[in-house]
């Protein structure tokens, strides 16, 4: 063969294809991505079957935030209307109002004492529906029972007052006693108060 170079000996140089480093890098990155995805999927499956993770609330968390009612207070012992004596006093300029009110209270089971005009201390001086006045011992007993019959009436006690009778002094805004059905519901609420719903502070 002509030319500047000659081939001598019985061995020929081995011709190699140029290495393609770019393809190897791509393959390596793809392998890492596949392995990473498989690992992440495995972790997700583990969380699903073991209940891990914070995204889904557990049954305990729901139970902790459930609305709970505080225990009801002990039933309140109140006297029966038949044991309460009521003096009905008219402090308005409308005649016959005391007798009419006394008759209705008697139908509801109360004992009626004096029926008359209000004394000078209260005569034409009661602007609301009425004033209920009794001894100190009546504050949590007979006064609330009578108060259920006349919603909005002011309740007062007098430590110097003797006896157990209660005065119902009719005021200028008085039209009639509370409807009996509503008065009965008010009495029931006094004797058996309903528990108040509460929630846990961490909800």
């Amino acid at each position: 063969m002509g030319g500047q170079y000659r081939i001598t000996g019985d061995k020929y140089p081995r011709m190699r294809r140029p290495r393609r480093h770019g393809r190897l890098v791509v393959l390596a990155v793809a392998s890492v991505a596949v392995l990473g995805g498989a690992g992440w999927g495995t972790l997700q499956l583990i969380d699903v079957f073991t209940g891990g993770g914070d995204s889904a609330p557990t049954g305990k968390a729901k139970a902790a935030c459930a609305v709970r009612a505080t225990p009801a207070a002990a039933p309140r012992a109140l006297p029966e209307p038949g044991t309460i004596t009521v003096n009905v006093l008219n402090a308005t300029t409308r005649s016959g109002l005391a007798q009419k009110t006394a008759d209705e209270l008697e139908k509801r089971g109360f004992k009626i004492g004096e029926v008359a005009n209000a004394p000078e201390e209260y005569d034409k001086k009661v602007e609301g529906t009425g004033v209920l006045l009794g001894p100190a011992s009546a504050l949590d007993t007979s006064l609330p029972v009578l108060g259920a019959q006349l919603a909005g009436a002011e309740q007062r006690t007098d430590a110097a007052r003797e006896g157990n009778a209660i005065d119902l002094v009719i005021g200028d805004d008085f039209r009639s006693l509370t409807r009996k059905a509503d008065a009965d519901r008010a009495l029931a609420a006094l004797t058996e108060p309903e528990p108040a719903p509460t929630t846990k502070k961490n909800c």
Side-chain angles (χ1 to χ4, degrees):
M1 295 178 66
Q4 184 177 358
Y5 301 99
R6 292 181 180 180
I7 299 174
T8 60
D10 56 356
K11 295 183 178 179
Y12 298 93
R14 181 175 296 175
M15 304 300 290
R16 297 180 179 177
R17 295 181 179 179
R19 296 180 179 178
R20 299 179 179 177
H21 297 285
R23 179 179 295 179
L24 294 177
V25 172
V26 172
L27 291 175
V29 172
S31 299
V32 172
V34 171
L35 291 175
W40 182 82
T42 302
L43 289 175
Q44 294 300 311
L45 289 175
I46 292 174
D47 285 343
V48 169
F49 287 104
T50 60
D54 297 330
S55 59
T58 62
K60 291 183 179 179
K62 290 181 179 179
C65 292
V67 176
R68 295 182 180 180
T70 56
R76 187 177 177 182
L78 292 175
E80 295 293 330
T83 64
I84 302 173
T85 300
V86 182
N87 300 319
V88 184
L89 309 175
N90 186 4
T92 74
T93 58
R94 290 172 285 170
S95 61
L97 200 56
Q99 187 61 58
K100 181 179 179 180
T101 304
D103 291 343
E104 180 60 29
L105 285 173
E106 190 173 21
K107 291 178 182 178
R108 300 186 184 189
F110 290 88
K111 290 183 178 180
I112 303 302
E114 182 182 2
V115 179
N117 291 326
E120 184 178 355
E121 179 184 0
Y122 293 101
D123 189 29
K124 302 178 183 64
K125 298 175 183 177
V126 179
E127 297 179 354
T129 57
V131 173
L132 308 182
L133 181 63
S137 60
L139 180 61
D140 295 321
T141 55
S142 53
L143 273 180
V145 177
L146 183 59
Q149 312 301 319
L150 183 56
E154 182 183 356
Q155 299 182 22
R156 301 179 186 177
T157 59
D158 184 356
R161 185 182 177 106
E162 297 180 357
N164 297 321
I166 299 176
D167 294 344
L168 190 165
V169 184
I170 300 173
D172 292 335
D173 292 342
F174 177 88
R175 294 296 177 268
S176 64
L177 294 174
T178 301
R179 288 193 318 156
K180 188 176 185 307
D182 295 335
D184 291 343
R185 279 193 291 269
L187 278 176
L190 288 173
T191 55
E192 296 182 2
E194 296 181 358
T198 58
T199 55
K200 294 179 70 65
K201 293 183 179 180
N202 59 350
C203 294

